[in-house]
Amino acid sequence: MFAPIRWLILALQFATILPTPSVRTATERDIRCSVVWFPVIGMLLGVLLWVFQSFFVHHMPSLAASVVSLSIYTLATGALHLDGLMDTADAMGSRRPREAALEIMKDSRVGAMGVVVCLFAILGKWSAIASISPDHWEPFVVVPMMSRLGMIWSMVVAPSARSQGLGALFARKIPRWTVAVATCLCGAVCGLVLPFQQCLWVLLYAILTVTLFTGWMVHRFGGTTGDTYGALNEIMEWVGWYVFLCASA
């Protein structure tokens, strides 16, 4: 199988629950190279969100339409990133020492802090999406795309907090060319669909969010994990929706 196609299938299997062909043999290098497709998958999921929002907003109130479309969008990802957000919030909220907090993050059970943060994340995205007219399709493409690019940036700049797990598989181990290709792709898409000023705002919020969040994770846990990547994705989406709301105000 042609390598880029194999990487695309692996990325789809990792980031969505969409049916894909099976990949019989996949090396760790294949898995690391697959991240180059993350922003593309974000764009596809964003288009899915926009299509459903555009359809349902003509058949029900905007808030109700947003519930349905956001539910479909979240289910398409298997709620993977929300799970990472909740696990990270539980670990951060525990105020335990580093190793104990990492064990809490690894625990599959969800605590009160995780539930509260997840609720705020969903409510925030729901209200923001309901406030953006489907006639303006650009945020639906750009926000999910940039949130996936943010995960790639975090992978390349921060060490892993654990010796095993997704963080150890990706942290400072993904090929540099994947970062360059993904970044150039996102920059090209933003330049094509957004005014120059909005491109600057998108770049600014992306860099600030990744820098502040990743730095916080390194300070608290000594590095990043698979859960913190998911948390970063959710936070970048949340911030991104409100950046576009402020830009259109």
Side-chain angles (χ1 to χ4, degrees):
M1 184 183 293
F2 187 46
I5 301 301
R6 183 167 65 249
W7 300 338
L8 173 59
I9 293 172
L10 290 171
L12 285 168
Q13 291 175 346
F14 178 78
T16 73
I17 60 169
L18 302 177
T20 61
S22 61
V23 178
R24 294 184 179 179
T25 57
T27 64
E28 288 190 355
R29 180 180 180 275
D30 286 327
I31 296 173
R32 291 176 182 132
C33 290
S34 71
V35 304
V36 73
W37 287 103
F38 280 10
V40 176
I41 292 173
M43 283 192 287
L44 294 175
L45 290 170
V47 170
L48 178 73
L49 175 63
W50 174 73
V51 167
F52 281 106
Q53 180 70 1
S54 298
F55 174 78
F56 287 116
V57 80
H58 294 296
H59 300 280
M60 61 182 73
S62 179
L63 286 175
S66 299
V67 170
V68 179
S69 57
L70 184 59
S71 297
I72 295 171
Y73 172 82
T74 303
L75 290 174
T77 68
L80 175 68
H81 306 307
L82 277 175
D83 180 68
L85 176 67
M86 289 187 288
D87 288 340
T88 302
D90 282 336
M92 295 295 294
S94 70
R95 301 183 183 180
R96 300 285 183 85
R98 174 180 176 271
E99 292 300 328
L102 285 172
E103 286 301 314
I104 291 173
M105 188 185 298
K106 191 165 62 174
D107 193 334
S108 60
R109 293 171 294 183
V110 179
M113 184 63 71
V115 172
V116 170
V117 171
C118 179
L119 182 63
F120 284 148
I122 292 174
L123 287 175
K125 290 198 289 184
W126 168 47
S127 61
I129 292 169
S131 302
I132 295 176
S133 170
D135 293 335
H136 300 291
W137 54 268
E138 298 87 353
F140 291 87
V141 172
V142 172
V143 171
M145 176 186 72
M146 293 304 298
S147 67
R148 272 71 181 180
L149 178 63
M151 290 195 290
I152 299 176
W153 286 353
S154 185
M155 289 173 184
V156 77
V157 300
S160 174
R162 300 192 186 101
S163 59
Q164 296 179 335
L166 284 177
L169 179 63
F170 291 114
R172 289 184 175 173
K173 293 180 181 177
I174 62 174
R176 298 288 176 145
W177 67 263
T178 62
V179 185
V181 170
T183 302
C184 290
L185 171 65
C186 293
V189 171
C190 289
L192 286 172
V193 305
L194 296 176
F196 179 72
Q197 186 176 9
Q198 286 191 7
C199 286
L200 293 180
W201 279 111
V202 167
L203 178 64
L204 180 62
Y205 97 75
I207 292 175
L208 283 177
T209 306
V210 172
T211 300
L212 293 174
F213 180 82
T214 303
W216 191 16
M217 295 302 101
V218 172
H219 174 75
R220 181 67 176 86
F221 303 117
T224 54
T225 70
D227 285 322
T228 67
Y229 297 149
L232 175 59
N233 178 86
E234 290 296 324
I235 292 170
M236 286 195 69
E237 283 196 11
W238 196 98
V239 174
W241 289 116
Y242 282 94
V243 166
F244 275 100
L245 275 182
C246 292
S248 61

